[in-house]
């Protein structure tokens, strides 16, 4: 029986996530040489090569791919064992995509009504999404779409419906639709909408692809210079460009907190209204004692009536519909 070195296993997982030994070393707070030695030791213990060296850094071998889910489980169990000895489990980590996301408000409501829960909200990004964080064990639960994306979720990841987010059209005051109170999905199908974030392979990019296939809307993912509009971030710059344009428009969601702009018009999309399906995801093997409470809260507070007469991607309907 082989006794695996957990430090070596941790170095392996960090290298898988970071795709370079140097970046893994930074994450772990050790030298690159130490990372290489630990992985070499692990390869010796397993009798298999875990990485191939490639021009861009490292690539996981077939053996490494088979080992990675087990490695993450080993680290999770070890962390839980240490917490159990001290009788002070670490905070429950719940990942959301960003502070503007509607999941932030829902987590704040949860925390306000569960004062005793030791819970941390962790912010993901487009390069390591909330889905990635729960799959990699960096979060205990995550708000994300359960379907789509460049990689299917492992069978060990469970999902409960969290909330449906209706989408609408954002246009500027000079746009031809600016005077309208609403726009139909059929009308949107004849338009081009600017969604640069859909250029990143992701579950939300697939949502817009599926919406395009359903109604015919053209999704423009062309980046535009932030220098053309003031603002501290890309969303602010994007809203500023749309506000002053006669042609640019985008699709946003009701629960996403866009920057306010006096020249932006928000048009509900109707007949039917597309909705983005936010699920709560978690690993079925996660032993954190705070996880069942948060899962039960969002599962029991999901309002399925919202799904009536809405467009939901086919893959998500079973989870979200009545």
């Amino acid at each position: 029986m082989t006794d695996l070195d957990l430090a070596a296993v941790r170095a392996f997982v960090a290298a898988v996530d970071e795709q370079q030994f140097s970046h893994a070393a930074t994450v772990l707070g050790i030298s690159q040489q130490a990372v290489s030695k630990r992985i070499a030791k692990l390869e010796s213990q397993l009798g298999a090569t875990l990485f191939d060296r490639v021009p861009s850094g490292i690539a996981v071998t077939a053996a490494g791919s088979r080992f990675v889910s087990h490695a993450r489980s080993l680290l999770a169990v070890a962390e839980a064992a240490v917490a159990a000895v001290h009788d002070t489990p670490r905070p429950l980590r719940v990942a959301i995509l960003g502070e503007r996301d509607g999941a932030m408000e829902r987590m704040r409501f949860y925390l306000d009504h569960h004062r005793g829960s030791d819970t941390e909200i962790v912010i993901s990004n487009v390069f390591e999404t909330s889905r990635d964080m729960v799959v990699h064990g960096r979060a205990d639960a995550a708000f994300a779409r359960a379907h789509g994306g460049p990689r299917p979720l492992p069978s060990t990841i469970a999902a409960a419906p969290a909330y449906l987010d209706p989408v609408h059209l954002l246009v500027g005051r000079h746009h031809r639709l600016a005077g309208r109170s609403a726009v139909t999905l059929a009308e949107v199908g004849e338009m081009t909408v600017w969604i640069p974030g859909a250029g990143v392979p992701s579950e939300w990019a697939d949502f817009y692809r599926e919406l395009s296939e359903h109604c015919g809307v053209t999704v423009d993912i062309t980046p535009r210079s932030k220098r053309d509009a003031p603002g501290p971030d890309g969303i602010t710059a994007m809203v500023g460009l749309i506000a002053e344009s006669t042609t640019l428009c985008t699709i946003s969601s009701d629960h996403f907190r866009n920057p306010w702009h006096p020249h932006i018009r928000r048009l509900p999309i109707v007949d039917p209204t597309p909705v983005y399906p936010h699920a709560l995801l978690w690993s079925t093997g996660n032993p954190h004692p705070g996880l069942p409470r948060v899962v039960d809260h969002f599962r029991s507070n999901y309002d399925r009536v919202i799904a009536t007469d809405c467009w939901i991607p086919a893959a998500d309907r079973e989870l979200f519909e009545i």
Side-chain angles (χ1 to χ4, degrees):
M1 180 176 178
T2 301
D3 294 323
L4 297 180
D5 183 338
L6 284 179
V9 174
R10 189 169 288 107
F12 165 73
V13 170
V16 169
D17 292 341
E18 302 301 326
Q19 299 181 16
Q20 289 192 14
F21 285 172
S22 59
H23 293 173
T26 300
V27 168
L28 296 171
I30 59 178
S31 68
Q32 182 175 338
Q33 183 182 26
V35 171
S36 297
K37 285 185 176 180
R38 290 181 185 184
I39 289 174
K41 178 180 179 180
L42 185 62
E43 289 178 327
S44 176
Q45 289 178 319
L46 294 172
T49 300
L50 301 176
F51 295 103
D52 289 325
R53 274 59 174 178
V54 296
S56 60
I58 53 175
V60 184
T61 64
S65 296
R66 292 192 296 271
F67 180 62
V68 67
S69 62
H70 300 286
R72 295 190 196 281
S73 297
L74 283 172
L75 296 178
V77 169
E79 189 176 58
V82 172
V85 168
H86 295 285
D87 198 29
T88 52
R90 59 164 176 75
L92 183 79
R93 296 184 293 247
V94 180
I96 64 176
L97 184 58
E99 292 189 11
R100 296 184 183 277
D101 198 70
M104 177 64 83
E105 290 183 347
R106 283 156 176 76
M107 278 305 301
R108 285 174 176 161
F109 181 91
Y110 172 80
L111 294 175
D112 285 344
H113 289 77
H114 296 82
R115 296 284 183 172
S117 69
D118 189 9
T119 304
E120 291 180 349
I121 300 172
V122 293
I123 307 298
S124 62
N125 54 63
V126 296
F127 302 105
E128 184 183 36
T129 67
S130 51
R131 280 191 5 161
D132 293 334
M133 293 185 78
V134 81
V135 168
H136 297 162
R138 297 186 183 183
D140 301 294
F143 288 91
R145 187 183 174 200
H147 297 281
R151 294 171 298 278
L153 287 171
S155 60
T156 54
I157 301 298
Y163 67 101
L164 290 171
D165 203 354
V167 303
H168 56 262
L169 200 67
L170 287 184
V171 302
R173 62 175 176 171
H174 299 302
H175 194 278
R176 63 181 177 83
L177 296 176
R180 295 278 295 275
S181 60
V183 59
T184 67
L185 185 56
E187 290 175 302
V188 172
E190 298 174 355
M191 300 173 63
T192 295
V193 294
W194 179 39
I195 309 176
V200 178
S202 58
E203 62 271 19
W204 60 85
D206 284 345
F207 171 85
Y208 290 112
R209 175 184 55 77
E210 292 163 82
L211 180 62
S212 175
E213 291 171 354
H214 174 74
C215 72
V217 64
T218 299
V219 179
D220 176 11
I221 61 172
T222 307
R224 288 168 170 83
S225 174
K226 292 183 183 179
R227 293 176 298 178
D228 295 332
D233 58 43
I235 295 295
T236 300
M238 181 177 174
V239 168
L241 288 170
I242 291 170
E244 301 306 326
S245 173
T246 60
T247 57
L248 283 178
C249 62
T250 193
I251 290 177
S252 188
S253 64
D254 288 1
H255 297 289
F256 182 82
R257 186 168 51 84
N258 277 301
W260 184 83
H261 195 292
H263 301 160
I264 282 290
R265 307 291 183 263
R266 176 183 173 276
L267 307 179
I269 301 174
V270 297
D271 299 329
T273 298
V275 289
Y276 190 90
H278 293 268
L280 185 72
L281 309 178
W282 71 96
S283 171
T284 56
N286 188 324
H288 196 289
L291 185 57
R293 178 187 289 184
V294 75
V295 170
D296 180 68
H297 170 83
F298 285 99
R299 178 185 277 134
S300 61
N301 283 286
Y302 169 63
D303 186 359
R304 291 185 180 273
V305 175
I306 297 173
T308 305
D309 298 327
C310 289
W311 177 83
I312 305 172
D316 303 281
R317 288 174 192 155
E318 182 178 356
L319 184 63
F320 284 87
E321 286 189 333
I322 297 173

